[in-house]
Amino acid sequence: MGLSVYLNGKFVDRDKAYVSIFDHGLLYGDGVFEGIRSYSGLVFRLKGHIDRLYRSASAIQLVIPMKKDALMKAVVATLKKNKLKDAYIRLVVTRGPGDLGLDPRKCRHGRVIFIIADKVALYPERYYREGLHIITAKTRRNLPQALNPRIKSLNYLNNILAKLEATKSGVEEALMLTHDGYVAECTGDNIFIVSKKTLITSPTKIGALEGITRDAVISIAKKRKIIFREKKFKLNEVYKADECFLTGSAAEIVPVVRIDKKTIGRGKPGKLTLELRDEFRKLTKIDGIKYKID
Ligand code: PMP
C-alpha cells in the first residue's frame, strides 16, 4: 500500500494528491507549514507545533479554516492511516488557488490544508557520533522587519540560498548571520553554544524561528539548573566556544565540531551536548500526544 496523504479533509493516494498551479502557496510562497516528529507512537509537542502554525498564519493574516483540536486529530489520523509509529510529518496550509496577482483576496476557493507523514530520514549516524562540519553563509538572514524568520512561511528562499552555499562547500548546514553580524540560526536548525559552562542561544527576535526543539532544550537546561542565557553573540564566540550544537525537529540535537574550517572545542561532541541529547531523547518518550496503530 502506498502512502496516503491528508488533503482538505480526505485521504488521497500520494500519486493522486495534487494542488492547483494557481495556488498562491506555489505562485508566491503564500502559506505556512510545520515539520513535526513522532516517536514510538507519540507526536512530540504537537500542541506547540499547532500553536506555532496558527501564530505564523495569523502573522500573514491567513485564517486556518479548522479548529486547532481538529487539526491535531487530522495529524494523528494521518499517522494511523499510514501505520507509522516513528515519522516525520509535514503540515502545510496554503492561501489556496486564486487569480494571478499577489492579492490574497483573489484566493476565493478556500485554503488548502495537507498533511504528509513519512518515515524519518535523519542525518547519518556518524554526524551524531563525530559531529557536523558547517560553514557561515554569505547570505544574511531575512531582516525581521522585512520577512520575520519567526514566521514559518512557505517562502524559504532565504534559507535555500544559504543551503546552496553549504552544499557548494561540501557541508550539510550553514550558519546565517543577521544583517548586523549577529548569529541568527542555521538554514533549518537553531544554534546553541556552550562557553565557560554557560549554555547560550540567540534571541529569536533578532531573526530566528522559535524552534520547538530549541524550547525543549531550554526547558531541560532550566530543570537541570544548567546556566543558560538567551543573548546576542557574534561569530567569534562560536569560534571560541567549548561546544556547539544545532537543534531541529528532523535533526534533534546534532553536535557541531567545525565551522569555517576552524575546530570548536576539542573537535568532538561536547559533554553538555551529549547530556542534553540524552535528556531530549527521554523527553521524546513522554512529551506529546500518544496514539495507537490498530
Ligand atoms: N530554524 C529554521 C529556519 C527551521 O526551518 C527549523 C525547522 N526545521 C528550525 C529552526 C528548528 O525548529 P524546530 O525545532 O521547531 O524543528
Side-chain angles (χ1 to χ4, degrees):
M1 193 185 73
L3 211 64
S4 264
V5 305
Y6 173 100
L7 178 58
N8 281 345
K10 292 197 187 83
F11 284 108
V12 186
D13 198 78
R14 69 175 293 162
D15 300 326
K16 299 201 175 80
Y18 293 112
V19 294
S20 160
I21 59 165
F22 290 94
D23 195 298
H24 279 208
L26 174 62
L27 287 176
Y28 302 114
D30 190 356
V32 291
F33 77 102
E34 279 298 317
I36 310 169
R37 281 287 295 280
S38 81
Y39 294 89
S40 313
L42 180 141
V43 195
F44 185 63
R45 294 201 164 183
L46 179 55
K47 173 92 174 47
H49 282 283
I50 297 291
D51 286 345
R52 185 172 69 185
L53 181 82
Y54 279 74
R55 280 202 304 279
S56 295
S58 147
I60 64 165
Q61 296 177 39
L62 187 158
V63 178
I64 300 178
M66 237 170 131
K67 289 256 160 46
K68 285 186 180 178
D69 261 4
L71 199 48
M72 285 202 266
K73 282 192 181 129
V75 169
V76 170
T78 310
L79 288 161
K80 288 174 85 133
K81 176 87 184 164
N82 291 286
K83 300 199 184 311
L84 286 164
K85 281 174 86 179
D86 292 275
Y88 181 81
I89 303 131
R90 175 56 52 92
L91 167 53
V92 182
V93 185
T94 82
R95 193 81 68 175
D99 301 343
L100 296 179
L102 288 180
D103 191 345
R105 287 174 304 184
K106 291 177 188 290
C107 303
R108 289 189 214 94
H109 308 282
R111 317 295 150 244
V112 171
I113 302 179
F114 60 88
I115 305 168
I116 307 166
D118 206 349
K119 293 200 182 73
V120 224
L122 280 178
Y123 277 142
E125 179 53 35
R126 79 186 150 87
Y127 292 152
Y128 295 90
R129 226 176 30 239
E130 295 165 14
L132 205 61
H133 296 188
I134 65 171
I135 56 145
T136 305
K138 290 199 176 62
T139 307
R140 294 290 166 113
R141 195 74 179 99
N142 277 331
L143 204 61
Q145 294 88 334
L147 174 54
N148 198 332
R150 276 162 137 173
I151 305 171
K152 202 165 166 60
S153 83
L154 293 181
N155 190 326
Y156 249 53
L157 269 182
N158 181 220
N159 314 51
I160 291 167
L161 289 174
K163 182 81 175 181
L164 288 170
E165 291 186 49
T167 312
K168 204 167 169 197
S169 304
V171 296
E172 297 275 352
E173 252 296 13
L175 178 61
M176 301 182 77
L177 306 176
T178 60
H179 74 287
D180 51 356
Y182 288 97
V183 170
E185 60 176 341
C186 288
T187 69
D189 304 296
N190 291 108
I191 183 165
F192 285 81
I193 55 171
V194 179
S195 185
K196 298 191 186 80
K197 299 202 163 41
T198 304
L199 179 70
I200 304 166
T201 196
S202 323
T204 56
K205 64 167 189 272
I206 69 166
L209 187 73
E210 291 163 334
I212 301 292
T213 323
R214 176 186 181 276
D215 272 358
V217 167
I218 295 171
S219 65
I220 294 167
K222 288 190 173 155
K223 212 164 153 197
R224 292 183 68 86
K225 307 233 175 336
I226 293 162
I227 309 163
F228 167 71
R229 301 264 176 283
E230 189 180 67
K231 70 166 189 88
K232 295 206 288 190
F233 56 96
K234 292 210 162 161
L235 196 50
N236 64 334
E237 293 192 53
V238 184
Y239 292 163
K240 285 189 314 197
D242 302 316
E243 300 182 29
C244 176
F245 62 86
L246 311 182
T247 64
S249 296
E252 302 180 338
I253 295 180
V254 61
V256 177
V257 295
R258 258 173 108 74
I259 176 161
D260 302 331
K261 302 211 165 81
K262 293 176 179 51
T263 303
I264 299 178
R266 297 206 177 128
K268 288 193 309 198
K271 192 165 162 280
L272 190 58
T273 305
L274 296 178
E275 191 183 317
L276 288 166
R277 214 178 75 204
D278 284 350
E279 289 300 314
F280 177 76
R281 292 210 165 139
K282 284 185 202 155
L283 206 60
T284 62
K285 294 188 169 66
I286 51 171
D287 192 351
I289 306 279
K290 283 206 170 82
Y291 62 96
K292 272 211 168 72
I293 307 287
D294 328 297

